């Protein structure tokens, strides 16, 4: 068993212990241990019971919990608490911003046992009068519930990807001679997937439909003409469009693009295209070059394609380095050296930008000025041992409430680059939030604007911004905008990439990695960038080591001459 599931089970145990009013000291010990285990740089399963007890913050009682999990996969104490807690109350605990103490009030004092009852109670202002709540807290819970309800049945692309791969293996195993390809939102690499559409071409479509209808490949299977629908074990809706092989590419095209895109392409075609040999044939008939699935949203890129101005989309192989990453200096899991060696040896990259949190991020062990200088000493020492690889000295500086950056200028000037990000005061109105960001962008030490809206897909809407004003400010101040590649963020939203590019603003595809595995998130950043029509020429970290070193040096030179 990996560390994260163990930590997750202990975290849930601590929450339920607090919910049920168990010993406060023991509850806190379990919660602290779950955090410690999640951050360990090694597998706890490889350690003996005695070794586990020696881990700081893990005594014999918690070590016993860990061994029980490793041996049985369950925690008897956790199971007992789960049995004593209604399922609806567990669901309430999963709502962001409602801790166990508030859940206890909701459940035990107000008698609310599910999210439906909670939503109704909020609309009746019952929570506003409860101890520890108030009108503001009630409104926040109401918004969280509405957001959660709207997100029901939706999956992050990264979550759907696992489901999609498993489904493709099963379909190819069942129908080895068929043509099979994903379509819809998934093939277009949308950030959120509500339905996994697959097109299957066979010489005997009726036999395929009959076989699927009695298979166990999906739950709740339903057949409607040529469409077989159902859902995966995790609840992702799946539609398999079964067609004759001769119509496969026609239907693949039709089911891939959104409605506006498909209609716009077909409106340019006079002849019938019933049996095309490939999708290229369809676009050729429309007097257009073949368009990558990521660009098949609306008509914007159709207009570009019509005048031979379709962008040559960026690929993962175009990335030469990775910027905005965290190490054990702040809230990362791996050391600076481990992060660097992984980038160099495993990913074959040329550089790493380290951007640990700044001093105001106390929750993330933000770096004091003294620790900044100590980290720089380590970077210098590591760089002296590297050949054809370099660690750039960066920082993720909090954008404070008034738009200023952490640290005085004499410290900011010591970094090779600065990523400026918002992590607090997320509830400003659009005018205040925009002015705050623009002030940070106008700071001469800001190199990159990090995750511009602070959104968490299917979890938290980003703070409101006037994007045109923010992007215009970045253009005026030569500030790069991040496409945060974490699949829960993908922020800047791809829909604003073309506006940024039109203003001459560079973009940077940053994984925001907090452990070496996090570097792989650059894959999702690339997909989002491709949807936005980004090329390698538009991307900061597609520059070679020499090129980006010169760019950072040139920018710093302009600061000293102002």
């Amino acid at each position: 068993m990996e560390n994260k599931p163990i930590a997750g089970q202990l975290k849930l145990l601590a929450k339920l212990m607090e919910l049920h009013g168990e010993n406060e000291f023991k509850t806190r010990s379990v919660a602290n241990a779950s955090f410690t285990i999640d951050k360990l740089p090694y597998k706890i399963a490889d350690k003996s019971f005695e070794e586990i007890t020696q881990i700081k913050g893990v005594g014999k009682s918690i070590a016993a919990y860990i061994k029980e999990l490793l041996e049985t996969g369950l925690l008897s104490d956790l199971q007992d608490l789960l049995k004593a807690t209604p399922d609806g109350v567990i669901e309430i605990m999963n709502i962001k911003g409602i801790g166990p103490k508030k859940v206890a009030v909701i459940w035990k004092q107000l008698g609310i046992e599910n999210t439906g009852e909670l939503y109704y109670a909020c609309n009746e202002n019952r929570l506003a009068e409860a101890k520890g709540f108030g009108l503001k807290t009630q409104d926040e819970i109401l918004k969280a519930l509405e957001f959660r309800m709207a997100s029901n049945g939706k999956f992050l692309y990264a979550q759907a990807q696992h489901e999609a791969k498993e489904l493709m293996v099963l379909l190819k195993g069942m129908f080895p001679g068929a043509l099979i390809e994903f379509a819809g939102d998934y093939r277009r690499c949308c950030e959120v997937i509500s339905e996994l559409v697959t097109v299957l071409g066979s010489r005997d479509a009726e036999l395929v439909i009959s076989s699927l209808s009695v298979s166990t490949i999906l739950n709740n299977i339903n057949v409607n003409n040529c469409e077989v629908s159902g859902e995966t074990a995790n609840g992702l809706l799946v539609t398999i469009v079964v067609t004759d092989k001769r119509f496969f590419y026609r239907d693949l095209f039709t089911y891939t693009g959104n409605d506006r895109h498909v209609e716009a392409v077909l409106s340019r075609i006079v002849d019938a295209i019933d049996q095309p040999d490939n999708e290229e044939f369809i676009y050729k008939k429309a007097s257009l070059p073949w368009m990558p699935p990521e660009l098949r949203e609306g008509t914007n890129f159709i207009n570009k394609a019509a005048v031979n101005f379709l962008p040559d989309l960026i690929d993962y192989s175009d990335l030469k380095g990775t910027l905005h990453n965290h190490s054990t200096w702040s809230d990362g899991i791996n050391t600076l050296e481990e992060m660097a060696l992984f980038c160099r040896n495993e990913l074959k990259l040329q550089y790493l930008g380290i951007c640990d949190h700044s001093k105001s991020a106390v929750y993330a062990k933000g770096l004091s000025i003294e620790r900044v200088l100590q980290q720089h000493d380590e970077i210098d020492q590591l760089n002296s041992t590297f050949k054809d690889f370099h660690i750039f000295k960066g920082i993720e500086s909090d954008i404070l409430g008034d738009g200023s950056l952490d640290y005085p200028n004499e410290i900011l000037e010591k970094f090779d680059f600065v990523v400026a990000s918002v992590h607090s005061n997320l509830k400003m109105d659009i005018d205040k939030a925009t002015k705050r960001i623009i002030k940070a962008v106008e700071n001469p030490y800001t190199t990159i604007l990090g995750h511009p809206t602070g959104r968490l897909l299917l979890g938290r809407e980003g703070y409101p911004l006037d994007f045109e004003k923010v992007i215009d400010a970045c253009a005026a101040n030569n500030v790069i905008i991040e496409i945060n590649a974490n699949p829960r963020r993908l922020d800047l939203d791809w829909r604003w990439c073309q506006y940024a590019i039109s203003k001459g603003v560079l973009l940077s595809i940053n994984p925001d990695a907090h452990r070496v595995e996090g570097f792989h998130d650059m894959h999702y950043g690339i997909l989002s960038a491709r949807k936005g029509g980004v090329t390698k020429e538009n991307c900061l970290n597609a520059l070679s080591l020499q090129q980006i070193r010169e760019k950072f040096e040139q920018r710093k030179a302009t600061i000293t001459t102002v």
Side-chain angles (χ1 to χ4, degrees):
M1 184 181 286
E2 299 290 337
N3 291 358
K4 189 166 284 294
I6 294 173
Q9 291 287 289
L10 291 175
K11 184 178 180 181
L12 178 57
L13 175 61
K15 285 185 174 182
L16 288 173
M17 289 169 66
E18 185 176 354
L19 174 68
H20 287 274
E22 295 200 5
N23 181 277
E24 187 175 341
F25 176 79
K26 184 178 179 181
T27 299
R28 193 183 305 117
S29 297
V30 174
N32 291 340
S34 72
F35 180 81
T36 298
I37 291 163
D38 187 44
K39 299 291 185 180
L40 291 176
Y42 52 81
K43 286 186 178 180
I44 200 168
D46 297 336
K47 302 297 180 181
S48 67
F49 179 83
E50 193 61 35
E51 288 173 321
I52 293 174
T53 63
Q54 299 304 309
I55 298 171
K56 186 178 180 180
V58 179
K60 288 187 177 180
S61 61
I62 293 173
Y65 279 147
I66 294 168
K67 293 304 288 185
E68 183 183 359
L69 273 170
L70 291 172
E71 291 170 3
T72 69
L74 296 171
L75 273 181
S76 56
D77 283 4
L78 176 58
Q79 295 305 307
D80 290 342
L81 289 172
L82 285 170
K83 289 177 183 177
T85 312
D87 291 342
V89 173
I90 299 293
E91 187 178 5
I92 292 173
M93 287 184 67
N94 290 328
I95 298 174
K96 193 173 184 67
I98 310 180
K101 289 182 179 178
K102 280 190 168 62
V103 175
V105 173
I106 290 169
W107 175 28
K108 297 181 178 180
Q109 294 186 22
L110 300 181
I112 296 168
E113 293 194 351
N114 58 58
T115 54
E117 292 175 354
L118 181 59
Y119 185 74
Y120 187 78
C122 287
N123 279 291
E124 288 198 330
N125 284 324
R126 286 173 55 198
L127 261 67
E129 304 300 322
K131 184 179 179 180
F133 285 83
L135 187 60
K136 183 178 179 181
T137 300
Q138 177 182 272
D139 288 342
E140 290 172 352
I141 291 173
L142 185 60
K143 288 178 182 177
L145 285 166
E146 288 173 344
F147 191 78
R148 187 181 182 88
M149 291 161 64
S151 301
N152 189 34
K154 296 180 180 180
F155 292 75
L156 299 177
Y157 179 91
Q159 295 170 323
Q161 188 174 46
H162 176 72
E163 307 272 343
K165 288 179 178 178
E166 286 191 345
L167 178 64
M168 185 59 73
V169 169
L170 292 172
L171 287 174
K172 287 185 174 179
M174 288 181 66
F175 310 107
L179 296 173
I180 311 173
E181 182 59 82
F182 293 117
D185 292 352
Y186 184 78
R187 191 175 181 220
R188 298 200 310 276
C189 302
C190 295
E191 63 271 38
V192 174
I193 308 298
S194 56
E195 180 184 17
L196 182 60
V197 179
T198 308
V199 178
L200 190 156
S202 171
R203 295 188 186 282
D204 193 339
E206 290 186 7
L207 178 61
V208 170
I209 293 173
S210 176
S211 298
L212 286 171
S213 67
V214 296
S215 74
T216 58
I217 195 169
L218 296 171
N219 297 330
N220 304 319
I221 289 179
N222 180 59
V223 178
N224 183 17
N225 295 323
C226 67
E227 296 185 358
V228 179
S229 62
E231 58 185 38
T232 67
N234 289 336
L236 176 60
L237 181 65
V238 174
T239 297
I240 302 171
V241 180
V242 183
T243 185
D244 288 339
K245 268 191 173 181
R246 57 197 170 122
F247 301 133
F248 175 77
Y249 289 105
R250 179 200 67 186
D251 290 345
L252 179 62
F253 163 78
T254 302
Y255 281 90
T256 293
N258 71 359
D259 290 344
R260 285 186 63 213
H261 177 89
V262 172
E263 290 169 5
V265 173
L266 293 180
S267 70
R268 300 170 61 93
I269 298 175
V270 177
D271 302 330
I273 53 161
D274 284 348
Q275 302 179 41
D277 292 332
N278 50 49
E279 286 186 308
E280 286 86 344
F281 177 83
I282 298 172
Y283 282 99
K284 186 177 180 180
K285 281 284 188 180
S287 300
L288 297 169
W290 178 80
M291 298 182 66
E294 298 95 320
L295 300 184
R296 301 184 197 179
E297 307 273 359
T299 61
N300 184 36
F301 286 102
I302 290 178
N303 297 332
K304 292 179 182 293
V307 292
N308 294 316
F309 201 62
L310 203 61
D312 183 10
L313 299 182
I314 191 168
D315 270 321
Y316 187 91
S317 60
D318 292 321
L319 298 182
K320 306 304 179 189
T322 171
L323 304 167
H324 187 177
N325 304 289
H326 300 265
S327 73
T328 50
W329 278 94
S330 64
D331 60 344
I333 301 299
N334 293 98
T335 66
L336 186 52
E337 182 175 18
E338 288 169 342
M339 299 285 275
L341 292 177
F342 188 86
C343 287
R344 185 190 70 176
N345 299 340
E346 302 298 323
L347 302 181
K348 308 302 180 186
L349 296 174
Q350 299 175 12
Y351 51 88
L352 163 71
I354 199 69
C355 286
D356 281 304
H357 285 283
S358 62
K359 61 184 177 67
S360 290
V362 178
Y363 60 90
K365 296 195 306 180
L367 274 61
S368 64
I369 291 175
E370 181 182 20
R371 294 182 68 229
V372 166
L373 300 178
Q374 291 171 349
Q375 186 188 61
H376 286 187
D377 287 340
E378 182 183 358
I379 292 172
D380 289 338
Q381 190 277 325
L382 287 170
N383 278 336
S384 70
T385 67
F386 292 143
K387 182 181 180 181
D388 299 326
F389 186 85
H390 189 78
I391 304 173
F392 286 104
K393 299 170 183 173
I395 194 76
E396 184 177 19
S397 174
D398 267 29
I399 298 175
L400 305 181
D402 64 355
S404 60
L405 301 187
D406 252 354
Y407 305 123
N409 289 349
E410 56 266 29
I411 297 301
L412 290 173
E413 68 183 7
K414 293 181 181 295
F415 297 104
D416 295 316
F417 70 108
V418 173
V419 174
S421 306
V422 169
H423 292 106
S424 59
N425 298 329
L426 304 179
K427 297 177 182 178
M428 293 182 175
D429 61 37
I430 188 168
D431 184 56
K432 287 184 178 179
T434 300
K435 288 179 179 177
R436 177 190 190 185
I437 296 295
I438 290 176
K439 182 177 177 180
V441 165
E442 290 174 343
N443 188 306
Y445 291 98
T446 297
T447 316
I448 300 173
L449 175 61
H451 45 72
T453 74
R455 75 179 185 183
L456 296 174
L457 292 167
L458 301 184
R460 179 179 74 201
E461 293 184 20
Y463 36 86
L465 289 177
D466 185 324
F467 282 96
E468 290 190 5
K469 286 184 178 179
V470 169
I471 292 171
D472 289 349
C474 289
N477 292 276
N478 195 27
V479 168
I480 296 102
I481 299 179
E482 173 178 84
I483 298 176
N484 190 291
N486 186 305
R488 291 190 176 276
R489 290 191 183 273
L490 299 178
D491 182 19
L492 181 73
D493 189 294
W494 61 266
R495 295 164 184 82
W496 284 101
C497 287
Q498 280 299 297
Y499 185 79
I501 290 168
S502 73
K503 295 294 181 176
V505 175
L506 277 178
L507 302 162
S508 184
I509 300 171
N510 298 332
D512 200 352
H514 285 65
R515 62 181 75 200
V516 293
E517 294 85 356
F519 289 121
H520 296 305
D521 284 349
M522 290 190 291
H523 163 71
Y524 302 110
I526 285 289
L527 296 183
S528 185
R530 287 174 63 89
K531 283 193 72 61
V534 177
T535 71
K536 65 180 180 181
E537 289 77 20
N538 309 135
C539 180
L540 175 69
N541 52 310
L543 295 176
S544 68
L545 173 56
Q546 183 59 32
Q547 289 171 326
I548 200 167
R549 179 184 275 128
E550 290 173 357
K551 187 168 188 65
F552 286 157
E553 289 174 352
Q554 288 169 2
R555 179 168 178 80
K556 291 188 73 172
T558 62
I559 296 172
T560 57
T561 58
V562 170

